[in-house]
């Protein structure tokens, strides 16, 4: 569901890059109090670094800088002066220092309680300027800024990885069913359940059906021989055994396999001395025939399933949007790799997109139909050569308001379903694929892949995926129609004016 929610804006947003503030001329201003001093202009390269070296407790530095800037000290006594009282040579040196910083990599921004320039003392006017002392800002603000700047790219990649397809390119539906309460419904359709199993589980069930029946009937045969005491009278000519030559469990198991598979080596047989032996032999023969019919049928259907025929039905990797017959169309290409063709092939398309109703209800993965020529019969294909399927974007199309720019912000999926009858087996086959918004090329067409060679048409499947760019307006079909109507109205206005109001339209 989250995969089809609207995308975040691509421009600068909450998790985007930070917009740079306009540069302010670095003109040093000498203030007369500490409060005004904290609002001075400072370079941004003096901000607290994003790392472990940044001070965790800014209180000691803050108190030390405040004491140096405001409180009197032995080395630099605090003196309130005005800007006009500063010597010209001194102001020139400050300007030179500011221009040096400006020519470097640093930029000057309004101060955010991060650092302040020191105020020089008149008593030491000949000494070099004091180094600027950094005052770290709020640790929470700085850590948040660093985290957003570091996590900007991973967040974008994580959002891209959350994109989940409804149907894969090979036609597999990415929907997992869970919390099914009435699982006995699968047992009522045991044939389909076995056919739908994967091959490793299917082979396991196939083998276990025979092994279990052999072991069960072998155990019954051995139990019957043990109860009748046939085990202790092997080789006694006067003893009337129920099953001859069954003296242990292994011999009983071999007799079970020979009976069910009708091997009949002749050394172990059921005699007419007991009725239960005859009944067990009849029951095993019937059950063995049923297992043979079920397993052979499942094996035949699983091997000859039309799902494998869909592997030779191919779809183009991308969709294209361009004009055809002066109409904006969404197109894709399909092809059949086999010489035995599909009978009564039909093509359908579904648009999968989440939306919110006017009442506030959220509908996840809503399915809407894309018209591929159902009303004109163009959806019925004679799929002998690769064909380009066209969806006209008109008033009834869900892409009526889609433009080249809005396509980058949309999030949807187009499901293509091709159905037909396999000519060799007469079974219905279905092939599926899907296209996301990233796989739609605006302003492209498919290159031709057919040519006439030696009296027959030749299909070059190496050009099946190739496209070329054509001139296509980036506006939506709705905007194109409105512009065309406006131009037609402007051309017809003079003649209409002359017919209705000739006295006002001029000669």
């Amino acid at each position: 569901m989250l995969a089809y929610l609207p995308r975040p804006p691509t421009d600068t947003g909450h998790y985007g890059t930070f917009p740079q503030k306009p540069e302010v001329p670095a003109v040093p201003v000498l203030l007369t109090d500490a409060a005004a001093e904290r609002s001075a202009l400072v370079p941004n390269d003096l901000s607290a670094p994003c790392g472990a070296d940044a001070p965790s407790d800014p209180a000691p530095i803050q108190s030390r800088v405040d004491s140096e800037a405001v409180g009197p000290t032995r080395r630099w006594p605090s003196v309130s002066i005005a800007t006009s009282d500063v010597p010209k040579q001194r102001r020139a040196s400050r300007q030179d220092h500011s221009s040096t910083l400006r020519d470097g990599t640093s930029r000057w921004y309004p101060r955010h309680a991060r650092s302040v320039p020191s105020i020089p003392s008149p008593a030491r006017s000949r000494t070099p300027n004091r180094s600027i002392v950094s005052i770290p800002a709020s640790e929470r603000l700085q850590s948040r800024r660093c985290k957003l700047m570091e996590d900007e790219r991973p967040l974008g990649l994580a959002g891209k990885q959350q994109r989940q397809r409804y149907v894969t390119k090979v036609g597999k539906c990415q929907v997992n069913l869970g919390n099914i309460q009435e699982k006995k419904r699968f047992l009522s359709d045991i044939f389909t359940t076995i056919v739908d199993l994967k091959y490793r589980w299917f082979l396991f069930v196939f083998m276990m059906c025979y092994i279990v029946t052999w072991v069960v009937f072998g155990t019954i045969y051995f139990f019957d021989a043990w109860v009748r005491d046939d085990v202790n009278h092997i080789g006694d000519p006067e003893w009337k055994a129920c099953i001859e030559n069954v003296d242990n469990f292994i011999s009983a198991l071999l007799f079970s396999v020979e009976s069910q598979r009708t091997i009949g080596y002749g050394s172990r047989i059921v005699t007419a001395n007991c009725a239960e032996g005859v009944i067990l032999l009849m029951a095993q023969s019937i059950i063995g025939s049923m297992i043979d019919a079920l397993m052979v049928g499942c094996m035949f259907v699983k091997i000859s399933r039309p799902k494998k025929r869909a592997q030779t039905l191919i779809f183009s990797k991308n969709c294209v949007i361009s004009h055809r017959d002066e109409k904006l169309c969404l197109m894709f290409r399909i092809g059949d790799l086999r010489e035995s063709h599909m009978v009564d092939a039909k093509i359908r398309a579904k648009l999968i997109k989440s939306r919110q109703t006017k009442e506030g209800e959220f509908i996840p993965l809503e399915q809407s139909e894309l018209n591929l020529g159902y009303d004109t019969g163009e959806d019925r294909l004679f799929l002998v050569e690769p064909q380009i399927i066209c969806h006209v974007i008109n008033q009834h199309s869900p892409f009526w308001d889609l433009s080249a720019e809005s396509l980058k912000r949309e999030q949807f999926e187009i499901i293509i379903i091709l159905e037909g009858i396999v000519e060799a087996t007469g079974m219905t086959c279905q092939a599926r694929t899907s296209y996301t918004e990233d796989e739609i090329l605006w302003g492209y067409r498919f290159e031709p892949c057919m040519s006439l060679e030696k009296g027959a048409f030749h299909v070059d499947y190496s050009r099946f995926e190739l496209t070329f760019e054509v001139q296509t307006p980036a506006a939506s079909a709705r905007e194109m129609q409105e512009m065309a109507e406006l131009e037609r109205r402007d051309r017809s206005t003079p003649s209409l004016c002359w017919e209705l109001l000739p006295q006002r339209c001029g000669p």
Side-chain angles (χ1 to χ4, degrees):
M1 183 186 301
L2 295 178
Y4 294 86
L5 293 178
R7 287 181 174 179
T10 56
D11 54 354
T12 302
H14 180 67
Y15 292 100
T17 57
F18 289 90
Q20 293 184 352
K21 300 182 181 179
E23 291 191 9
V24 181
V27 180
V29 180
L30 301 179
L31 304 178
T32 58
D33 54 6
E37 181 184 358
R38 291 190 177 89
S39 63
L41 300 177
V42 296
N44 68 336
D45 57 352
L46 298 175
S47 59
C50 300
D53 298 335
S56 59
D57 188 8
I61 302 178
Q62 180 69 34
S63 60
R64 178 169 55 85
V65 175
D66 291 342
S67 63
E68 292 178 359
V70 181
T73 59
R74 295 180 182 180
R75 297 180 60 184
W76 295 285
S78 177
V79 178
S80 299
I81 59 176
T83 307
S84 59
D85 297 336
V86 180
K88 296 181 180 180
Q89 294 82 359
R90 181 61 184 162
R91 281 184 287 178
S93 63
R94 290 295 297 262
Q95 291 176 0
D96 295 340
H97 180 67
S98 303
S99 62
T100 303
L101 289 176
R102 239 186 358 259
D103 294 338
T105 58
S106 62
R107 296 183 180 179
W108 291 81
Y109 292 107
R111 184 181 180 279
H112 296 283
R114 195 173 294 274
S115 61
V116 294
S118 60
I119 300 178
S121 174
R124 296 183 180 268
S125 59
R126 296 182 181 180
T127 60
N129 294 337
R130 293 177 56 193
S131 60
I132 299 176
V133 181
S134 298
I135 301 178
S138 175
E139 185 178 0
R140 180 183 303 175
L141 178 62
Q142 179 66 13
S143 61
R144 183 182 302 174
R145 181 173 181 237
C146 296
K147 183 177 180 181
L148 291 179
M149 293 181 66
E150 294 173 358
D151 296 347
E152 174 189 357
R153 188 172 181 179
L155 281 173
L157 295 177
K160 191 69 176 178
Q161 292 176 356
Q162 291 179 358
R163 183 69 162 92
Q164 179 63 47
R165 303 181 77 102
Y166 189 77
V167 175
T168 61
K169 297 295 289 184
V170 296
K172 182 180 179 181
C173 297
Q174 298 288 84
V175 178
N176 298 326
L177 306 179
N179 296 330
I180 300 177
Q181 303 298 330
E182 299 182 1
K183 294 186 178 181
K184 61 182 181 180
R185 295 176 180 267
F186 294 99
L187 297 178
S188 60
D189 188 14
I190 188 63
F191 184 83
T192 307
T193 302
I194 296 177
V195 171
D196 289 339
L197 291 177
K198 295 182 179 180
Y199 267 102
R200 56 179 178 268
W201 295 110
F202 176 78
L203 295 176
F204 177 77
V205 173
F206 184 88
M207 293 185 298
M208 292 305 297
C209 286
Y210 288 102
I211 293 175
V212 169
T213 53
W214 294 339
V215 172
V216 169
F217 280 96
T219 304
I220 296 175
Y221 288 139
F222 176 72
F223 180 76
D224 182 68
W226 180 74
V227 170
R228 294 178 59 88
D229 203 19
D230 294 342
V231 178
N232 299 324
H233 294 80
I234 298 298
D236 189 355
E238 297 180 358
W239 182 260
K240 296 180 179 180
C242 181
I243 303 175
E244 294 184 356
N245 298 326
V246 175
D247 53 352
N248 53 22
F249 176 76
I250 300 300
S251 60
L253 181 61
L254 289 175
F255 176 73
S256 176
V257 175
E258 294 171 9
S259 300
Q260 185 170 341
R261 301 311 304 163
T262 64
I263 296 176
Y265 290 118
S267 60
R268 300 175 184 88
I269 59 174
V270 177
T271 63
N273 298 327
C274 59
E276 64 272 13
V278 178
I279 295 175
L280 287 175
L281 183 61
M282 295 171 58
Q284 186 177 8
S285 300
I286 295 174
I287 294 176
S289 300
M290 295 174 61
I291 293 176
D292 290 341
L294 178 62
M295 291 295 103
V296 172
C298 291
M299 180 65 74
F300 173 77
V301 172
K302 193 168 184 65
I303 293 176
S304 62
R305 292 183 72 180
K307 183 178 180 180
K308 302 301 180 182
R309 176 64 174 88
Q311 302 296 327
T312 54
L313 299 173
I314 59 175
F315 301 85
S316 60
K317 184 179 179 181
N318 297 306
C319 283
V320 297
I321 293 181
S322 59
H323 277 94
R324 173 180 280 190
D325 295 333
E326 299 182 353
K327 297 179 182 179
L328 194 64
C329 299
L330 172 73
M331 294 172 284
F332 58 93
R333 179 182 276 173
I334 60 175
D336 189 359
L337 301 179
R338 288 190 178 274
E339 295 183 357
S340 59
H341 310 300
M342 299 287 294
V343 179
D344 194 19
K346 293 178 290 186
I347 188 76
R348 295 187 294 124
K350 292 283 187 179
L351 176 66
I352 309 296
K353 184 179 180 181
S354 301
R355 73 178 183 93
Q356 190 172 6
T357 62
K358 297 180 180 179
E359 294 78 13
E361 179 188 4
F362 179 74
I363 304 178
L365 306 180
E366 184 186 33
Q367 300 184 12
S368 57
E369 188 75 20
L370 293 181
N371 189 4
L372 299 181
Y374 177 79
D375 49 351
T376 59
E378 296 179 359
D379 61 330
R380 296 180 177 271
L381 308 176
F382 182 53
L383 196 57
V384 178
E385 79 285 350
Q387 297 188 11
I388 298 177
I389 309 301
C390 177
H391 165 68
V392 180
I393 303 178
N394 51 21
Q395 294 88 343
H396 305 287
S397 173
F399 302 133
W400 175 241
D401 296 322
L402 185 67
S403 62
E405 184 65 25
S406 62
L407 178 62
K408 302 177 182 179
R409 301 189 300 267
E410 290 289 335
Q411 198 161 19
F412 57 85
E413 187 171 349
I414 302 175
I415 311 299
I416 307 299
I417 304 173
L418 176 62
E419 294 179 344
I421 300 175
V422 181
E423 187 177 22
T425 61
M427 304 178 69
T428 303
C429 174
Q430 184 181 96
R432 298 183 296 266
T433 190
S434 69
Y435 300 98
T436 59
E437 70 283 350
D438 298 331
E439 298 170 346
I440 298 179
L441 305 178
W442 188 284
Y444 284 81
R445 288 180 186 169
F446 288 103
E447 290 190 1
C449 59
M450 290 189 61
S451 60
L452 181 60
E453 296 181 359
K454 297 181 180 179
F457 293 97
H458 175 71
V459 179
D460 185 7
Y461 274 100
S462 63
R463 307 177 62 85
F464 184 80
E465 303 284 353
L466 298 182
T467 59
F468 63 94
E469 190 173 2
V470 294
Q471 185 177 3
T472 304
S476 63
R478 182 192 186 106
E479 296 173 348
M480 294 181 188
Q481 183 176 355
E482 292 177 354
M483 294 173 60
E485 292 179 355
L486 184 60
E487 293 178 358
R488 184 168 55 254
R489 189 183 308 168
D490 293 341
R491 290 195 300 266
S492 60
T493 298
S495 59
L496 182 63
C497 179
W498 179 261
E499 294 178 358
L500 299 179
L501 301 173
Q503 65 276 12
R504 296 185 181 181
C505 295

